[in-house]
Amino acid sequence: MPNRKAVAPVLTVVETACSNCNLHELCLPLGMSTEEVEKLDELVSSRRRVKRGEHLYRAGDAFDSIFAVRSGFFKTDVLLEDGREQVTGFQMTGELLGLDGISNEQHSCNAIALEDSEVCTIPFSHLENLSREIQTLQHHFHQVMSREIVRDHGVMMLLGTMRAEERLAAFLLNLSQRFTARGYSPAEFYLRMTREEIGSYLGLKLETVSRAFSRFQEEGHIAVQQKHVRILNIAGLKKLMSQHTRD
Amino acid sequence: MPNRKAVAPVLTVVETACSNCNLHELCLPLGMSTEEVEKLDELVSSRRRVKRGEHLYRAGDAFDSIFAVRSGFFKTDVLLEDGREQVTGFQMTGELLGLDGISNEQHSCNAIALEDSEVCTIPFSHLENLSREIQTLQHHFHQVMSREIVRDHGVMMLLGTMRAEERLAAFLLNLSQRFTARGYSPAEFYLRMTREEIGSYLGLKLETVSRAFSRFQEEGHIAVQQKHVRILNIAGLKKLMSQHTRD
DNA sequence: CGCGCTGTTGAAACTTGTCAAAGTTTGTGG
DNA sequence: CCACAAACTTTGACAAGTTTCAACAGCGCG
């Protein structure tokens, strides 16, 4: 029985339904009645597969939908004319993509799959229509947007006031916490992104990231081999974040 | 006739009306019918004066309203336990404050007036109610939140990939552009914030900021004396932003 | 009128970036 | 299934940029 890599995406429609999606907690439908969630099902018009390395959307693309990650892993980035890249975030299962596009009907960053992924497409005008009917949905959506702003402030803090090792520690702890929230091990995970992408996100060069990893390993905070990370001493990493002063 | 500092806020109600506010363009009511704007008037429950140095709100305060700056100048910042500060933004006339608080009913940063200021208080639940009725308002609010996210990505880019002088150039150009949008001179303005606050925003030490100012002056890009800045060569500043590479 | 806050400037120290080389892993095509 | 190429990672030595520390000047408030 051959186990082919690329299975034809035939039956996807069947399971496309918020009402029986196991991402309730992480995605939009939170605290809504069953009835209301069923309305959402109409909202999520389709699913879409994005293969590793492919763009979900590009800066400049017309905006009409936001996306919820059903499975997989994404990065978003902004490119400067001179080629400089800033990774603005990594998105995993249950997280939303595309909120930046609302502001002027046009995406302002690129979203790229770091592994074969699948997203739910949520036409934005439908979402606005529905959220005029369902107060819970409206409020939850506002919270999601606000949370994104708060998250960005955290990154600004990281980039503005932390030194290299603090940044990486904060990054690993954040990943750990998000994996935990999804039922995965808090202490052991595979990084889907390269050192360069981590570096771009953290405002560091890949060599600096690599050195920080090595240092953490020497000091027994983590065991790392390429993309596989095991956190041995969470407390140690946390302490790392609050001892230096820089800037 | 004694000109006392603290005037009792008695007559403020009179002019508190979106329908005849000259901030239409910058604040929420954009593209709404006169009728609809009048509904907004009920929304903006009150104005509030905030004296220089005072907090409009603090991290941890319960959230129930957002604020629109009517006049004056604010900064928002986040404090780390160990005392490190990250200024996350400067807000001027017509800009909104408090969007970060929606996410968990609690403000996540501090908002401090950098000069005597005045804000319109917009109870958030009212805003949500009204935006379920008025589609234009709803959409505009979503755009405002999204724009905040895009702005934050810009700051991340700045902090993550630019060197000191590029950051300051970007900062000055941004201020210039915002002053222009408000009808002030694009080339001449007073900074309301200290070198340290600029530094915190840009992820630099105040000494570095000071040196960059001096350098810009030596090179004829600007004339600066303390908080008074005159931009002599906008193009020069722009060019500064795209020549170095760092990280 | 002086004290304190803010801003400027210099020199030295430190962190991170740059360049280079070698090792490792992954993916592809034979 | 192996071999090879490409992509990614690690490590070292050195350079550059920014911070740190320190001293002093200027402005503004009381």
Side-chain angles (χ1 to χ4, degrees):
Chain A
M1 211 157 275
N3 190 2
R4 293 294 201 71
K5 196 92 162 256
V7 178
V10 179
L11 297 176
T12 51
V13 183
V14 178
E15 13 171 4
T16 304
C18 296
S19 39
N20 62 354
C21 172
N22 55 359
L23 298 175
H24 277 227
E25 295 298 309
L26 300 163
C27 188
L28 278 175
L30 197 74
M32 291 168 59
S33 70
T34 324
E35 202 181 334
E36 289 171 335
V37 174
E38 276 165 9
K39 285 197 195 169
L40 256 196
D41 288 346
E42 307 161 30
L43 182 61
V44 178
S45 65
S46 68
R47 285 217 246 158
R48 176 172 154 196
R49 293 176 189 279
V50 187
K51 287 219 288 271
R52 182 179 164 207
E54 284 182 0
H55 281 71
L56 174 59
Y57 55 79
R58 289 169 195 274
D61 284 0
F63 165 84
D64 50 20
S65 301
I66 60 175
F67 304 92
V69 181
R70 263 203 68 96
S71 66
F73 210 95
F74 286 84
K75 72 166 177 182
T76 47
D77 69 12
V78 182
L79 264 32
L80 241 46
E81 318 74 51
D82 60 2
R84 280 183 276 186
E85 175 195 33
Q86 174 70 34
V87 170
T88 54
F90 296 107
Q91 295 77 23
M92 44 205 278
T93 307
E95 295 177 334
L96 257 37
L97 278 160
L99 297 177
D100 57 277
I102 302 167
S103 73
N104 61 173
E105 311 282 289
Q106 189 169 311
H107 287 287
S108 68
C109 63
N110 305 288
I112 298 140
L114 295 182
E115 62 182 24
D116 292 359
S117 303
E118 201 170 359
V119 299
C120 296
T121 302
I122 306 174
F124 187 62
S125 56
H126 294 203
L127 176 61
E128 285 193 330
N129 290 340
L130 207 53
S131 78
R132 264 180 276 119
E133 289 176 32
I134 309 176
Q135 189 169 355
T136 335
L137 175 64
Q138 178 197 38
H139 189 62
H140 187 69
F141 177 64
H142 291 161
Q143 290 186 313
V144 167
M145 291 213 85
S146 175
R147 197 171 309 135
E148 181 68 18
I149 292 172
V150 174
R151 188 192 70 81
D152 290 346
H153 289 177
V155 177
M156 286 167 62
M157 175 100 233
L158 180 145
L159 292 171
T161 76
M162 295 185 185
R163 49 183 43 184
E165 292 188 8
E166 292 179 283
R167 295 184 199 189
L168 187 63
F171 175 69
L172 292 174
L173 290 169
N174 175 267
L175 279 186
S176 162
Q177 178 253 305
R178 284 155 76 196
F179 279 123
T180 307
R182 281 155 186 79
Y184 299 110
S185 164
E188 189 164 7
F189 44 83
Y190 277 93
L191 299 170
R192 270 74 172 188
M193 68 294 281
T194 67
R195 299 287 187 264
E196 184 166 27
E197 287 163 335
I198 297 174
S200 170
Y201 182 62
L202 300 179
L204 302 168
K205 283 288 166 195
L206 74 283
E207 294 95 329
T208 308
V209 173
S210 180
R211 278 186 248 270
F213 268 119
S214 301
R215 199 120 198 291
F216 285 176
Q217 175 147 259
E218 281 169 29
E219 292 171 354
H221 296 309
I222 64 173
V224 55
Q225 192 168 32
Q226 303 286 138
K227 295 205 154 65
H228 181 244
V229 173
R230 199 149 40 91
I231 300 185
L232 305 173
N233 182 2
I234 295 219
L237 285 182
K238 283 186 180 152
K239 217 170 65 186
L240 255 178
M241 282 182 53
S242 43
Q243 51 188 300
H244 316 270
T245 307
R246 178 208 121 118
D247 246 12
Chain B
M1 211 159 276
N3 189 1
R4 293 294 200 73
K5 197 85 162 266
V7 177
V10 179
L11 296 176
T12 51
V13 184
V14 177
E15 13 170 6
T16 304
C18 295
S19 39
N20 62 355
C21 172
N22 55 359
L23 298 175
H24 277 230
E25 294 298 307
L26 301 162
C27 187
L28 278 175
L30 197 75
M32 290 169 60
S33 70
T34 325
E35 200 182 332
E36 290 170 335
V37 174
E38 276 165 9
K39 284 198 195 169
L40 256 196
D41 288 345
E42 306 161 29
L43 181 62
V44 177
S45 67
S46 68
R47 285 217 246 160
R48 176 172 154 197
R49 293 177 189 279
V50 188
K51 287 218 289 269
R52 180 178 166 210
E54 283 182 359
H55 282 71
L56 173 59
Y57 56 79
R58 289 168 194 274
D61 284 0
F63 165 84
D64 49 19
S65 301
I66 61 176
F67 305 93
V69 181
R70 263 203 68 96
S71 67
F73 210 96
F74 286 84
K75 72 167 177 181
T76 47
D77 70 10
V78 181
L79 264 31
L80 241 45
E81 318 74 51
D82 60 3
R84 278 181 279 186
E85 175 196 34
Q86 174 69 35
V87 171
T88 53
F90 296 106
Q91 295 78 22
M92 43 204 279
T93 307
E95 295 177 333
L96 257 36
L97 278 161
L99 297 177
D100 56 278
I102 302 168
S103 74
N104 61 172
E105 311 281 288
Q106 189 170 309
H107 287 287
S108 68
C109 62
N110 304 288
I112 298 140
L114 295 182
E115 63 181 25
D116 293 358
S117 304
E118 200 169 1
V119 300
C120 296
T121 303
I122 306 173
F124 188 62
S125 56
H126 294 204
L127 176 60
E128 285 193 331
N129 290 340
L130 208 54
S131 77
R132 263 179 278 118
E133 291 176 31
I134 309 177
Q135 189 170 355
T136 335
L137 176 64
Q138 178 198 37
H139 189 62
H140 188 70
F141 178 64
H142 291 161
Q143 290 186 313
V144 167
M145 291 214 85
S146 175
R147 197 171 309 135
E148 181 69 19
I149 292 172
V150 175
R151 190 193 68 83
D152 289 347
H153 288 176
V155 177
M156 286 167 61
M157 176 100 233
L158 181 145
L159 293 171
T161 76
M162 294 185 185
R163 48 183 44 185
E165 291 186 12
E166 291 179 283
R167 295 185 199 189
L168 187 64
F171 175 69
L172 292 174
L173 290 170
N174 175 267
L175 278 186
S176 162
Q177 178 253 306
R178 284 155 77 198
F179 279 123
T180 307
R182 281 157 187 79
Y184 299 111
S185 164
E188 189 162 10
F189 44 83
Y190 278 92
L191 300 170
R192 271 73 173 189
M193 68 295 281
T194 66
R195 299 287 187 265
E196 184 165 26
E197 287 162 336
I198 297 173
S200 169
Y201 181 62
L202 299 180
L204 302 167
K205 285 288 164 193
L206 73 282
E207 293 95 329
T208 308
V209 174
S210 180
R211 278 185 247 270
F213 269 119
S214 303
R215 200 118 199 290
F216 285 176
Q217 175 147 259
E218 282 169 30
E219 293 172 351
H221 297 308
I222 63 173
V224 55
Q225 192 168 30
Q226 304 288 135
K227 296 204 153 64
H228 181 244
V229 174
R230 201 149 41 90
I231 300 185
L232 304 174
N233 181 2
I234 295 220
L237 286 181
K238 283 186 180 151
K239 215 170 65 184
L240 256 178
M241 282 183 53
S242 41
Q243 52 188 303
H244 315 269
T245 307
R246 179 208 120 118
D247 246 11

